[in-house]
Amino acid sequence: MESAHYFSASPAGPFTRKPLTVELAGETRNLQTSSGIFSPDGIDKGTAVLLAEVPAPAPQGNLLDIGCGWGPIALTMALRAPHARVYAVDVNERCIALTNGNAALLGLENVTASTPENVDPELRFDTIWSNPPIRIGKDELHSLLLLWLPRLAPGGSAYLVVQKNLGSDSLQRWLAEVLDDSLTVSRESTSKSFRILRVRKASR
């Protein structure tokens, strides 16, 4: 946890962009990062597990990254699915600016980062990937997931990476209890200290 306040809308301290070189979608990318956000110095372990383990996103339609940070998940989705529309949401204004800026650096015109309330509530998502912000607290996390997971399109899937010692198994049980019958919850895989949970929407 490089920044204890990465989930605040306006982090303290100056918003100063600095260079960041990472590998995304199999190639080295030169991007930008800043202080006051989650994992500012690179791809955190959970996100790395998610990107290595999940199947390819839907090639078309709408894709979603919940809690985008500087953009590793959203950018990877956009690189792997250039004909899809990628939405990235975060409460942190720096994350939104960085994700939009990094998409521009990569020439990706299919990425839109914004606060959650600026996403059309009628949109449905064919693929959701997320390293959800577990540390915001259980109630806020549950509210966040209940905002987005029911908005899967028919046949769509969400993949969430959660550290085992931060409650992945209890989160899986809770999701199975509270989501409606059109959504099924399963454990997709376990890698290192992380589990990937899958939520799938029935086809119809």
Side-chain angles (χ1 to χ4, degrees):
M1 194 59 54
E2 291 85 352
S3 171
H5 302 288
Y6 72 87
F7 42 79
S8 66
S10 300
F15 179 18
T16 304
R17 288 176 171 85
K18 57 184 180 180
L20 175 68
T21 301
V22 294
E23 184 173 301
L24 294 176
E27 292 187 21
T28 299
R29 317 284 179 174
N30 295 312
L31 305 173
Q32 292 184 336
T33 185
S34 172
S35 62
I37 66 170
F38 175 65
S39 193
D41 299 322
I43 300 174
D44 65 283
K45 292 179 182 178
T47 297
V49 167
L50 180 78
L51 295 178
E53 297 280 330
V54 292
Q60 296 180 321
N62 299 318
L63 316 181
L64 175 67
D65 169 16
I66 306 169
C68 60
W70 53 262
I73 292 174
L75 298 173
T76 299
M77 284 180 142
L79 289 163
R80 294 182 66 181
H83 300 295
R85 185 82 223 164
V86 179
Y87 294 85
V89 293
D90 208 294
V91 299
N92 186 324
E93 60 192 21
R94 292 186 191 180
C95 295
I96 294 166
L98 287 166
T99 297
N100 284 324
N102 285 331
L105 287 173
L106 296 179
L108 297 169
E109 298 181 353
N110 59 332
V111 176
T112 301
S114 70
T115 56
E117 58 269 22
N118 286 318
V119 178
D120 182 351
E122 299 301 315
L123 278 179
R124 294 298 177 262
F125 300 98
D126 301 278
T127 303
I128 298 173
W129 289 356
S130 180
N131 180 359
I134 298 296
R135 295 176 189 272
I136 61 175
K138 185 178 291 186
D139 290 345
E140 288 195 45
L141 174 69
H142 287 178
S143 296
L144 182 69
L145 295 177
L146 289 179
L147 174 66
W148 297 110
L149 295 178
R151 292 169 65 177
L152 280 167
S157 288
Y159 294 90
L160 313 174
V161 63
V162 184
Q163 201 163 351
K164 285 189 284 188
N165 66 2
L166 292 180
S168 59
D169 294 348
S170 60
L171 181 63
Q172 180 182 345
R173 289 192 296 271
W174 177 81
L175 288 169
E177 289 172 4
V178 300
L179 293 174
D180 69 44
D181 291 343
S182 70
L183 294 159
T184 56
V185 184
S186 60
R187 183 188 304 161
E188 182 74 2
S189 63
T190 300
S191 179
K192 300 174 183 174
S193 61
F194 294 90
R195 298 207 199 283
I196 294 180
L197 307 181
R198 180 187 184 190
V199 179
R200 187 177 187 279
K201 177 86 169 181
S203 295
R204 280 295 179 191

